[in-house]
């Protein structure tokens, strides 16, 4: 009885032919589950481990290395906003953008707004320094942001 | 100075620049069949003789690295394309992938032929969503056009490219960290030897190459090694070990400038040229206090070192770690180096993989010391302590497994030795510039 | 032969030896400190404690030293290798590494189990800076008491050597332990619901160089400097793991493995590690007795032994084939010899049988993969034969009677009232006879029971001789592979018990106190198959009875 739907399991299986062993599918599998379920729960980890013929601790070991994946207690909101805090963005006010937006939506970095709409986080260099301060909204990068434009963007989501 | 005609960036501003049609119309893939009929060893020699050095940060001669693979190995041999670009200030690979994916793909095809690899894994940092979509589409176009897959254009050469997304960890840019991450484990870099060319991905011979490096490979095959060598800086005659700094380089400029951008110039440009001729000068009419020469790992140039040639040899001559990713970040004269150094140390301690003692504990210690300094509780002794801690970590003294520690140490060493006045004044005056934003982000 | 230089001293490395710098230096008594390196685990070179200067001595005598420090654990010691571990550079690096490790390490020494056998303490004392320069808050991590049924974790004491994680992945294969998070926030943990309860679990506590992973059984029981140690052999199965028994004031507190590549390697299983509690059980037989018609008379050893001797002599003189003995596979070689030779002296046609050899399941090999299949090469085996010395006892019995009678055969003969007197030696803490089997002795006139715990045969006993457990005796056990090893007395048994060796020596009326060394010489001379036990090699890692046999785990 797996926490993973057959559709998710099939998506994971489709990764197998790309690699010579199943362990290498760990990161793709975590992404597939995380995107679909906004978190990787304990049961999901067991499901992934079964599919990949690994021990759950091995999957979780990899998962916890990256700040990226959330566990079931910290599931993502509908959208994930990262605000860069590395050197080029810091020099152009990126950290203050994060603070203002966190205050506006009453969250600490890493938390999800009360209405479940957005999870606000800091990121390390997003590689868009020509448009600092920049943010990542789900899978899209937005450059030359300030607190107002970020808030407006969030409101429109 | 005559304007350098971009080669790597030749297509990025063309409409529909990412499509196969546009690339082909510009002459792309026109000679790929010819390249695939060359003996692999001849391709390697061509790249070797061109003097191409890796653009990922280490600057190791690319063709030479390819020769480290075991001869007559039955395979599989793997090519890993390092698209994990995470060095703060760096974004040239992003532009290459978002705007001209086929130049990279053609470089991958050529490189895989040279090293006899049938399987290439493109490790792309997760945050580059647009690059992912563009590369995915471009790769699909290639398969459809017979440029990837079995028997490319009837040449008998097979090649599959797998796009593998990361999950936000800087250390996945270290070649063996990348390999461990690809294999599904935590990205703890491996001890060397064995080197990846002998035992790499899935314990097979593996070459890891940077995106920009592979784009250079494409251009070298089309335009020749002599062309590549006609650009850049020849070896220092007084140094027999200097392989020179040949070819075009994509320089990123960001921070306190009016026009942050990425510009393609021959290797050897100076920070002053980049700031004044390409980035519109320091912003707000201010002056530059310090300049990061190649991503924060390389340390800082002082305002007196802005004429340093940014080639592989130049930054080292003024006490920086090296050219790194050639990502220039400008810090104006109204910014405290203490704040800047804190940002660098916080990044490194956050990204330390945690495997070896000096980096795991040392980077966190340096960040904690700087935090305390920035709440007004610093002591003068802290500066010598920071210098000592920074001096004890890294692959250069041999105390760590990978170079993250060297990259963590160098900003500390440069900042305190070149800007000691800033630090002393800050401590003595018990200034406190920790911002509420930074307090909010503290990870305990 | 390869010559390596360690701090100027020459070390010879054998042609078939593959040693790293740590091992090469150890050959000349030079310690290169290390945490993460372990001879049976993969090399990760992550602790950086073993950094040394390494170079190459060319045939012309010039030495080229590498400019950087290198980890001694990942650097092979080959012909011409020059190792320097006492230079200022190395000393400074050690001070730095120890300082780093202590940055987030809680000052728990006063309450930490590991104190006195802690690598961090020892190395800090020998190689550390001696003072702290830390002025920052330490990272605090929560303790985890449910790592395993036997294992608790003091998380912030951990120095991230990852020996424990690698053990569960490379030796047991059960992969319960993991590292979570990244950087200085890393912690060791299990996955919820998958605790470390594999049969080899306890080894991670031994492996932990500091007091992070602790044994719940031993937690806060003793300070290690109060413990007295004796080397012994685990009697739990025929693998015969070399162990050390730690006791204080005649109470055993813990067992842990003693490295022995001729025996089992570096580990032991939990069944053996925790399976000694019976030695302090209040169920132990603690009073010599004679029993007549159900009437129990407690007595002393001298009296009961005289009675036993008299009964045996009388039975032997009463005709052919009247006396028999069951020798437990838990007896030492010396004990089996003393009993066999004494009885043979009374009756040349004495019947000698071997006690029941308890077999449970199959040999359990490790590591195993996710499906439970064994992965070659095998790193550890828990054997199905659950006794320590079947091979040794059989060698003795074969010498005296030409064959070894199985236990079931003797039961059959006993129930047919063939024997007038039987001498039964038990010693298996899990019991050795069912009620039905014990009935076989109901009609035997003299039933002498030498045992540690009550068993069904006691109801037919005429003489009860409370004997000793393995921690109370000295002698030789021979394992599955013919490796003879010595067990040593660690504690005195309870009053009213007597270690088997002394008991049988007194029974045979040999003069004075038992001298096992002289006895072994006697045995070696008498029994060619056991000749090797007189070798001085016995006292170290043990000696193979057949020199041509290779060691196996």
């Amino acid at each position: 009885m797996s926490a993973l739907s057959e559709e998710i399991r099939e998506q994971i299986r489709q990764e197998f032919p790309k690699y010579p062993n199943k362990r290498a599918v760990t990161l793709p599998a975590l992404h597939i589950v995380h995107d679909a379920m906004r978190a990787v729960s304990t049961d999901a980890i067991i499901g992934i481990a079964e599919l990949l013929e690994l021990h759950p601790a091995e999957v979780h070991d990899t998962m916890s290395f990256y700040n990226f994946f959330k566990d079931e207690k910290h599931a993502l909101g509908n959208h994930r906003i990262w605000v860069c805090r590395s050197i080029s963005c810091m020099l152009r006010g990126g950290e203050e953008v994060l603070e203002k937006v966190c205050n506006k939506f009453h969250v600490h970095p890493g938390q999800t707004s009360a209405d479940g709409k957005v999870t606000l986080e800091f990121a390390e260099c997003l590689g868009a320094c020509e448009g600092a301060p920049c943010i990542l909204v789900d899978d899209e990068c937005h450059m030359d942001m300030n607190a107002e434009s970020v808030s407006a963007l969030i409101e429109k989501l | 100075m005559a304007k350098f005609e971009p080669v790597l960036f030749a297509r990025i501003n063309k409409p529909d620049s990412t499509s196969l049609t546009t690339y082909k119309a510009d002459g792309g893939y026109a000679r790929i069949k010819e390249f695939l009929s060359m003996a692999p060893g001849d391709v390697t020699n061509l790249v070797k003789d061109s003097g191409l050095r890796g653009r990922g940060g280490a600057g190791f001669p690319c063709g030479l690295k390819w020769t480290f693979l075991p001869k007559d190995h039955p395979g599989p041999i793997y090519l890993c394309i390092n698209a994990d670009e995470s060095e703060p200030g760096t974004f040239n690979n992003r532009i290459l992938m978002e705007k001209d994916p086929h130049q990279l793909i053609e470089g991958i095809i050529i490189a895989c032929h040279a090293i006899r690899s049938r399987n290439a894994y493109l490790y792309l940092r997760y945050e580059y969503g647009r690059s992912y979509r563009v590369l995915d589409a471009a790769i699909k176009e290639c398969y459809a056009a017979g440029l990837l897959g079995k028997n490319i254009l009837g040449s008998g050469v097979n090649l599959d490219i797998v796009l593998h997304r990361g999950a936000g960890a800087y250390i996945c840019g270290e070649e063996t960290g990348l390999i461990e991450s690809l294999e599904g484990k935590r990205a703890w870099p491996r001890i060397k030897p064995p080197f990846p060319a002998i035992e790499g991905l899935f314990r097979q011979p593996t070459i890891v190459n940077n995106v920009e490096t592979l784009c250079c490979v494409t251009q070298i095959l089309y335009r020749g090694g002599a062309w590549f060598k006609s650009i850049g800086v020849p070896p220092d005659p007084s140094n027999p070990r200097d392989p020179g700094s040949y070819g075009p380089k994509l320089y990123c400029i960001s921070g306190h400038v009016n026009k942050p951008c990425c510009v393609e110039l021959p290797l050897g440009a100076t920070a002053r040229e980049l700031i004044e001729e390409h980035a519109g000068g320091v912003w707000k009419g201010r002056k530059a206090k310090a300049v990061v020469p190649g991503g924060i790992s390389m340390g800082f140039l002082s305002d007196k070192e802005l004429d340093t040639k940014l080639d592989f040899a130049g930054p080292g001559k003024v006490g920086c770690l090296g050219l790194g990713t050639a990502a220039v970040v400008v810090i104006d004269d109204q910014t405290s180096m203490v704040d800047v150094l804190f940002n660098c140390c916080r990044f490194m301690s956050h990204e330390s993989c945690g495997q070896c003692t000096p980096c795991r504990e040392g980077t966190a210690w340096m960040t904690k010391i700087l935090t305390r300094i920035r709440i007004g509780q610093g002591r003068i002794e802290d500066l010598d302590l920071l210098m000592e801690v920074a001096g004890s970590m890294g692959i250069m003294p041999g105390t760590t497994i990978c170079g993250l520690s060297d990259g963590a140490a160098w900003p500390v060493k440069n900042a305190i030795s070149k800007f000691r006045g800033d630090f002393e004044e800050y401590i003595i005056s018990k200034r406190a510039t920790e911002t509420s934003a930074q307090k909010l982000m503290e990870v305990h | 032969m390869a010559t390596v230089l360690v701090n100027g001293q020459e070390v010879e490395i054998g042609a078939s030896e593959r040693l790293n710098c740590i091992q090469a230096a150890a050959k000349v008594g030079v310690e290169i400190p290390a945490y993460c390196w372990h001879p049976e685990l993969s090399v990760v070179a992550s602790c950086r404690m073993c950094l040394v200067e390494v170079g190459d001595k060319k045939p012309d005598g010039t030495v080229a030293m590498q400019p950087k420090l290198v980890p001694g654990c990942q650097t092979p010691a080959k012909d011409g290798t020059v190792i320097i571990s006492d230079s200022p550079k190395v000393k400074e690096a050690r001070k730095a590494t120890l300082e780093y490790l202590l940055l987030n390490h809680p000052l728990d020494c006063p309450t930490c189990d590991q104190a006195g056998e802690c690598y961090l303490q020892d190395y800090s004392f020998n190689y550390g800076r001696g003072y702290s320069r830390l002025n920052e808050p330490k990272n605090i991590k929560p303790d985890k008491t449910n790592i395993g049924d036997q294992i608790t974790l003091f998380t912030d004491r951990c120095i991230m050597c990852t020996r424990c994680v690698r053990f569960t992945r490379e030796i047991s294969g059960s992969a319960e332990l993991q590292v979570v998070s990244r950087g200085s926030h890393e912690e060791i943990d299990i996955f919820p619901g998958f605790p470390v309860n594999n049969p080899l679990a306890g080894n991670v506590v031994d492996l932990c160089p500091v007091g992070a992973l602790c044994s719940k059984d031993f937690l806060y029981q003793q300070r290690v400097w109060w413990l007295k140690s004796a080397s012994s052999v685990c009697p739990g199965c025929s693998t015969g793991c070399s162990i050390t028994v730690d006791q204080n004031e005649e109470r055993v507190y813990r067992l842990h493995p003693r490295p022995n590549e001729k025996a089992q390697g570096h580990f032991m299983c939990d069944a053996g590690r925790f399976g000694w509690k019976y030695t302090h059980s209040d169920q132990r037989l603690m009073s010599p007795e004679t029993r007549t018609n159900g009437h129990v008379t407690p007595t002393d050893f001298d009296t009961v032994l005289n009675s036993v001797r008299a009964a045996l002599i009388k039975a032997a003189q009463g005709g052919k084939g009247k006396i028999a003995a069951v020798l437990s596979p838990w007896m030492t070689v010396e004990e089996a010899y003393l009993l066999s030779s004494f009885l043979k002296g009374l009756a040349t046609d004495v019947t000698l049988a071997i006690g029941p050899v308890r077999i449970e399941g199959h040999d359990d090999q490790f590591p195993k993969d996710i499906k439970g299949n064994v992965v070659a090469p095998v790193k550890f085996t828990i054997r199905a034969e659950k006794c320590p010395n079947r091979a040794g006892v059989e060698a003795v019995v074969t010498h005296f009677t030409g064959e070894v009678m199985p236990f079931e055969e003797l039961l059959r003969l006993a129930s047919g009232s063939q024997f007038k007197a039987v001498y039964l030696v038990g010693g298996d803490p899990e019991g050795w006879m069912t009620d039905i089997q014990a009935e076989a002795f109901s009609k035997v006139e003299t039933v002498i029971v030498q045992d540690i715990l009550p068993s069904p045969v006691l109801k037919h006993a005429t003489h009860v001789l409370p004997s000793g457990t393995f921690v109370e005796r000295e002698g030789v056990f021979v394992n599955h592979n013919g490796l003879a090893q010595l067990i040593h007395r660690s504690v005195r048994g309870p009053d009213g018990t007597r270690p088997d060796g002394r008991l049988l020596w007194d029974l045979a009326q040999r003069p004075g106190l038992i001298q096992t060394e002289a006895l072994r010489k006697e045995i070696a001379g008498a029994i060619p198959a056991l000749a090797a036990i007189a070798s001085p090699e016995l006292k170290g890692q043990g000696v193979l009875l057949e020199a041509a046999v290779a060691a196996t785990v």
Side-chain angles (χ1 to χ4, degrees):
Chain A
M1 188 59 197
S2 177
L4 305 177
S5 69
E6 182 50 38
E7 190 191 323
I8 289 182
R9 291 156 69 82
E10 189 47 42
Q11 273 185 283
I12 293 174
R13 280 190 214 107
Q14 279 175 13
E15 298 293 311
F16 289 158
K18 301 181 187 173
Y19 306 90
N21 65 45
K22 291 183 178 171
R23 186 188 294 272
V25 178
T26 303
L27 217 48
L30 286 167
H31 277 307
I32 289 167
V33 171
H34 196 252
D35 285 346
M37 299 166 68
R38 312 306 285 158
V40 187
S41 67
T42 309
D43 285 339
I45 295 171
I46 295 174
I48 293 173
E50 264 165 20
L51 265 175
L52 271 46
E53 294 176 21
L54 296 170
H55 292 94
E58 292 175 287
V59 176
H60 186 250
D61 186 325
T62 299
M63 173 180 150
S64 70
F65 181 80
Y66 307 94
N67 305 332
F68 186 91
F69 299 107
K70 302 290 183 188
D71 60 29
E72 64 241 64
K73 288 202 210 49
H74 302 97
L76 291 177
N78 298 339
H79 297 281
R80 191 176 199 176
I81 319 269
W82 279 281
V83 180
C84 178
R85 67 170 192 174
S86 292
I87 189 80
S88 303
C89 288
M90 176 278 253
L91 288 171
R92 295 177 81 103
E95 290 181 338
E96 285 68 41
V97 169
L98 174 65
E99 186 192 14
K100 290 203 178 98
V101 177
C102 281
N103 288 341
K104 180 160 163 98
F105 292 92
H106 306 292
V107 289
H108 280 239
Q111 289 180 345
T112 305
S113 59
D115 60 4
K117 191 163 155 196
V118 284
T119 303
L120 278 165
E121 314 203 70
F122 57 79
E124 301 292 0
C125 185
L126 292 172
C129 321
E130 77 268 50
C134 66
I135 65 170
L136 194 61
V137 180
D138 298 322
D139 232 12
E140 281 281 353
C141 184
H142 298 262
M143 303 196 205
D144 299 308
M145 305 301 284
N146 55 40
E148 288 71 40
S149 55
V150 175
S151 306
L153 190 151
I154 294 176
E155 242 118 55
K156 282 206 202 74
L157 284 172
Chain B
M1 176 166 309
K3 193 173 184 303
F4 178 76
E5 197 55 44
V7 172
L8 299 172
F9 270 0
R11 282 162 297 281
I12 60 169
N13 292 318
K14 287 189 154 82
D16 199 29
S17 64
T18 63
S19 79
L20 181 56
T21 323
T22 310
Y23 187 68
K24 275 186 154 166
D26 204 51
Y29 294 122
R31 293 169 60 196
I32 189 67
K33 224 174 145 179
E34 174 200 328
F35 301 147
L36 292 178
S37 67
M38 287 168 71
D42 290 345
V43 178
T44 302
N45 284 337
L46 176 53
V47 172
K48 206 164 129 193
D49 294 340
S50 73
L52 170 64
R53 293 170 70 169
R55 267 64 173 135
F60 194 85
C62 179
L64 182 63
K65 188 154 88 172
W66 292 358
T67 68
F68 292 161
L69 291 164
K71 310 273 174 282
D72 305 321
H73 194 277
I77 296 174
Y78 294 111
L79 177 73
C80 289
I81 300 96
N82 190 341
D84 192 58
E85 183 169 75
S86 304
E87 180 71 41
T90 314
F91 49 96
N92 50 302
N93 287 349
R94 192 204 89 233
I95 299 176
L96 280 171
M97 291 187 285
E98 276 181 5
K99 299 284 170 71
D100 195 359
H102 285 286
Q103 180 177 228
L104 171 61
I105 294 172
E106 190 165 16
I108 294 172
I109 298 171
I110 294 166
C112 284
H113 177 59
I115 67 173
R116 292 182 298 117
S117 165
R118 309 284 163 255
N119 301 88
Y121 288 93
L122 206 162
Y123 190 103
L124 177 63
R125 65 175 296 190
Y126 184 87
E127 296 87 337
Y128 280 3
R130 186 167 302 152
S131 299
Y132 175 74
R133 289 184 286 280
V134 166
L135 282 165
D136 193 42
I139 290 172
K140 287 189 166 92
E141 282 186 299
C142 285
Y143 273 100
L147 285 160
L148 285 174
K150 300 251 178 305
N151 195 10
I152 297 174
L153 300 181
S155 66
V157 173
N158 302 340
L159 177 60
D160 283 313
I161 301 182
V162 172
L163 259 186
H164 185 100
R165 291 184 89 170
Y170 169 73
I171 194 62
C172 296
E174 202 277 350
E175 64 177 0
T176 56
L178 189 154
I179 288 172
E180 287 284 300
S181 180
L182 242 178
E183 291 187 2
K185 302 177 241 171
R186 53 177 43 227
W188 277 6
R190 294 180 182 170
I191 53 176
K192 296 162 263 281
F195 287 86
I198 305 299
E199 211 181 287
L201 185 62
F202 307 122
R203 296 288 155 191
Q204 296 293 123
T206 303
I207 294 292
V208 182
N209 276 140
N210 175 267
V211 166
E212 188 183 332
T213 308
L214 288 165
C215 293
C216 285
V217 165
T218 307
Q219 299 308 328
I220 287 167
L221 268 285
Y222 276 95
R223 297 160 193 259
W227 157 79
F228 196 76
K229 267 190 151 141
S230 72
I231 302 166
V233 182
D236 176 356
S238 67
N239 181 359
R241 302 247 225 102
D242 180 6
S245 298
Y246 293 117
K249 183 76 192 72
L250 300 176
Y251 287 94
C252 300
I253 313 116
S254 63
H256 290 159
V257 289
N258 283 314
K259 237 180 10 100
C261 61
C262 183
V263 61
E264 183 177 352
L265 294 168
L267 264 174
T270 67
R272 195 183 303 283
E273 276 167 52
L274 291 169
I275 296 169
E276 288 173 9
E277 293 173 35
H278 299 278
V282 180
W283 73 350
K284 303 187 180 175
R286 296 176 185 171
K287 288 195 158 44
K289 171 191 265 188
V291 171
V292 172
I296 61 172
S297 298
M298 300 299 120
F300 305 100
L301 300 167
S302 74
D303 61 336
K304 300 184 184 32
E305 296 165 340
L306 299 185
D307 296 304
T308 309
K309 266 181 151 41
L310 296 179
D311 61 8
F312 288 107
K317 295 187 180 135
V318 288
C320 293
L321 183 51
L323 177 62
T325 57
V328 168
V329 182
V330 178
I331 297 146
D332 71 24
D333 55 6
Q334 307 237 353
T335 306
S336 168
M337 284 309 286
V338 183
D339 295 341
V340 168
L341 184 61
F342 169 74
N343 187 284
C344 298
C345 287
R346 184 184 61 188
F347 173 85
M348 289 298 173
S349 58
H350 187 221
E351 296 294 340
S352 168
C353 82
Q355 185 183 194
C356 60
T357 309
C359 182
R360 179 183 72 243
E361 304 294 341
T363 56
W365 194 13
M366 294 196 294
T367 304
K368 284 183 180 171
I369 294 172
L370 280 161
T371 306
R372 178 168 50 77
I373 290 175
R374 294 180 68 244
I375 58 173
Q377 290 178 17
R379 306 169 202 194
I380 287 294
E381 304 83 76
D382 290 335
L383 299 180
D384 290 330
L385 180 59
L386 281 166
M387 288 295 281
E388 195 192 312
V389 171
S392 75
M393 58 169 58
I395 53 173
M396 293 178 68
T399 58
T400 57
I401 293 177
C402 85
L404 188 148
S405 312
D406 304 73
W410 236 267
V412 175
K413 292 204 263 208
N414 282 171
I416 294 178
S417 54
K418 297 185 186 182
F419 301 92
R420 193 171 183 111
D422 265 30
F423 284 85
E424 286 183 350
E425 190 270 329
Y426 191 109
I427 289 172
I428 290 167
S429 67
K430 292 200 189 310
R431 183 156 328 137
T433 55
E434 185 191 50
T435 63
S436 46
Q438 283 155 1
K439 262 217 101 51
L440 208 51
M441 287 188 276
E442 258 177 43
V443 175
H444 287 293
Chain C
M1 273 304 226
T3 307
V4 171
L5 275 170
V6 176
N7 296 340
Q9 272 187 84
E10 281 193 353
V11 186
E12 296 297 324
I13 313 270
S16 60
E17 291 188 280
R18 299 274 168 271
L19 303 183
N20 61 25
C21 292
I22 300 175
Q23 294 167 310
K27 276 192 155 214
V28 279
V30 172
E31 179 188 51
I32 294 180
Y35 295 106
C36 64
W37 177 71
H38 187 278
E40 290 209 38
L41 299 173
S42 58
V43 175
V44 287
S46 59
C47 73
R48 313 313 277 185
M49 195 65 224
C50 69
L51 292 172
V52 286
E53 292 196 68
V54 164
D56 203 30
K57 187 169 181 183
K58 312 248 190 304
D60 65 4
T62 55
V63 174
M65 296 300 292
Q66 288 184 31
K68 311 181 188 194
L69 294 165
V70 292
C73 63
Q74 71 170 81
T75 309
K78 301 204 272 246
D79 192 33
T81 301
V82 174
I83 302 166
I84 296 182
S85 72
D86 57 359
S87 69
K89 212 160 138 186
V90 172
K91 289 183 179 172
E92 204 42 53
R94 287 177 181 171
K95 289 199 180 112
T97 304
L98 287 162
E99 181 171 39
Y100 286 135
L101 289 173
L102 289 170
L103 288 178
N104 285 310
H105 194 81
L107 294 178
D108 281 356
C109 293
T111 56
C112 174
D113 259 21
Q114 201 83 8
E117 55 183 20
C118 172
Y119 289 35
L120 189 56
Q121 272 187 343
D122 293 346
Y123 294 161
S124 294
F125 182 76
N126 287 325
Y127 311 111
R129 201 180 297 283
Y131 56 91
S132 172
R133 301 187 290 181
L134 179 74
N135 285 302
E136 329 302 331
K138 291 186 183 240
N139 294 351
I140 299 177
K141 298 166 184 169
D143 293 342
K144 298 171 184 145
T145 54
N146 294 317
I147 294 293
D149 290 348
Q150 293 287 355
I151 302 167
T152 186
L153 172 64
F154 293 91
T155 315
D156 45 22
R157 295 179 191 167
C158 171
I159 55 166
M160 269 298 142
C161 72
T162 67
R163 278 176 162 198
C164 59
V165 176
R166 284 178 281 138
F167 178 86
T168 64
R169 289 180 187 182
E170 298 166 16
I171 308 292
S172 65
S174 42
E176 300 101 330
L177 289 173
Q178 53 164 324
V179 178
V180 294
S181 193
R182 186 174 74 211
S184 63
H185 299 286
E186 280 171 346
E187 301 179 14
I188 299 293
D189 207 346
I190 52 166
F191 188 79
F194 292 76
V196 187
N197 285 335
N198 67 72
L200 307 180
N203 289 298
V204 300
V205 173
D206 295 337
L207 282 171
C208 184
V210 297
L213 286 168
C214 289
S215 159
K216 288 183 184 173
D217 187 56
F218 185 66
L219 191 62
Y220 304 136
Q221 293 295 307
Q222 286 285 302
R223 278 319 207 172
V224 303
W225 52 86
W226 297 334
L227 295 171
K228 292 124 197 94
S229 302
S231 57
S232 188
V233 176
C234 175
C237 80
S238 60
T239 297
C241 292
S242 300
I243 59 172
T244 303
V245 179
D246 289 342
Q247 59 91 1
N248 187 24
E249 294 180 352
E250 306 300 335
R251 282 201 79 81
V252 174
Y253 282 94
R254 65 175 183 185
L255 264 45
H256 48 109
R258 196 166 31 94
N260 186 349
E261 49 185 45
K262 284 192 195 173
Q264 88 287 6
H266 284 75
F267 307 118
M268 75 185 292
C269 75
D270 279 14
R273 181 187 294 273
F274 300 113
W276 50 268
K277 309 291 176 129
Y278 64 89
T279 203
H280 294 304
S281 163
D282 57 9
Q283 295 300 300
R284 291 276 298 268
L285 298 177
M286 288 193 268
S287 172
E289 293 166 356
T290 53
R291 294 175 174 203
T292 327
N293 296 327
H295 189 72
V296 174
T297 309
T299 177
D300 59 273
F301 269 103
D302 289 341
T303 311
V304 75
L305 285 174
N306 286 338
S307 173
V308 164
R309 201 179 305 114
L312 285 168
I313 291 170
K314 181 159 164 245
Q317 288 171 344
K320 281 191 174 323
K322 292 299 176 192
I323 58 174
V326 173
L327 285 85
S328 162
W330 288 68
M331 295 174 88
T332 65
V333 164
E334 295 88 329
E335 292 156 4
Y337 180 84
L338 284 170
L339 182 59
S340 306
S341 59
F342 171 68
L343 292 176
K344 183 90 176 177
L346 295 185
T348 50
D349 59 0
V350 64
T351 304
L352 298 177
I354 186 144
V357 175
R358 183 163 47 96
I359 308 273
E360 284 177 14
H362 301 282
D363 285 355
D364 201 6
Q365 296 177 308
F366 297 87
K368 299 186 203 289
D369 66 20
I370 188 104
K371 298 194 180 81
N373 300 321
V374 180
V375 177
V378 170
K379 307 259 172 81
F380 193 84
T381 308
I382 305 173
R383 289 189 160 75
E385 185 175 286
K386 304 295 184 194
C387 57
N389 197 24
R390 176 182 58 79
V393 173
E394 281 186 358
V396 171
V397 168
T398 309
H399 168 74
F400 283 104
T401 60
E403 55 148 26
V404 181
M405 178 179 291
F407 182 62
E408 291 67 33
E409 168 80 3
L410 183 122
L411 287 177
R412 206 180 46 75
L413 293 173
S415 50
S417 307
Q418 156 142 348
F419 307 114
K420 291 221 86 153
V422 292
Y423 195 115
L424 307 172
V425 181
D428 185 342
E430 300 287 320
W432 57 308
M433 262 200 258
T434 63
D435 285 294
I436 295 171
Q437 288 172 320
E439 279 303 304
F441 301 102
S442 55
K443 298 202 190 61
V444 180
E445 197 177 303
T446 301
V447 178
I448 303 147
V449 177
Q450 175 183 318
D451 205 351
I452 52 173
L453 288 160
S455 72
V457 80
L458 274 186
K459 66 163 106 53
H460 308 297
T462 55
H463 300 78
V464 178
L465 305 171
S467 55
T469 65
F470 77 101
V471 295
E472 298 157 6
R473 293 153 42 213
E474 183 181 314
V476 170
F477 282 160
V478 178
N479 80 353
H480 71 104
N481 201 37
L483 179 71
Q485 299 186 80
L486 266 181
I487 64 171
H488 290 91
R489 183 181 82 88
S490 176
V491 294
R492 212 187 333 246
D495 287 341
T497 68
R498 184 170 286 193
D500 303 43
R502 183 180 159 205
L503 195 161
L504 293 165
W505 183 275
D506 293 343
L507 176 66
Q509 289 183 301
R510 289 183 176 233
L513 290 174
I514 178 169
Q515 303 286 349
T516 51
E517 193 152 351
L519 182 56
R520 281 191 286 278
K521 285 206 172 62
E522 182 186 325
I523 298 170
I527 307 181
L530 293 169
I533 68 174
S535 153
E537 245 183 282
L538 177 71
K539 295 215 175 123
Q541 305 284 64
V543 60
L544 285 159
L545 294 183
E546 267 175 83
V549 174
T552 100
V553 290

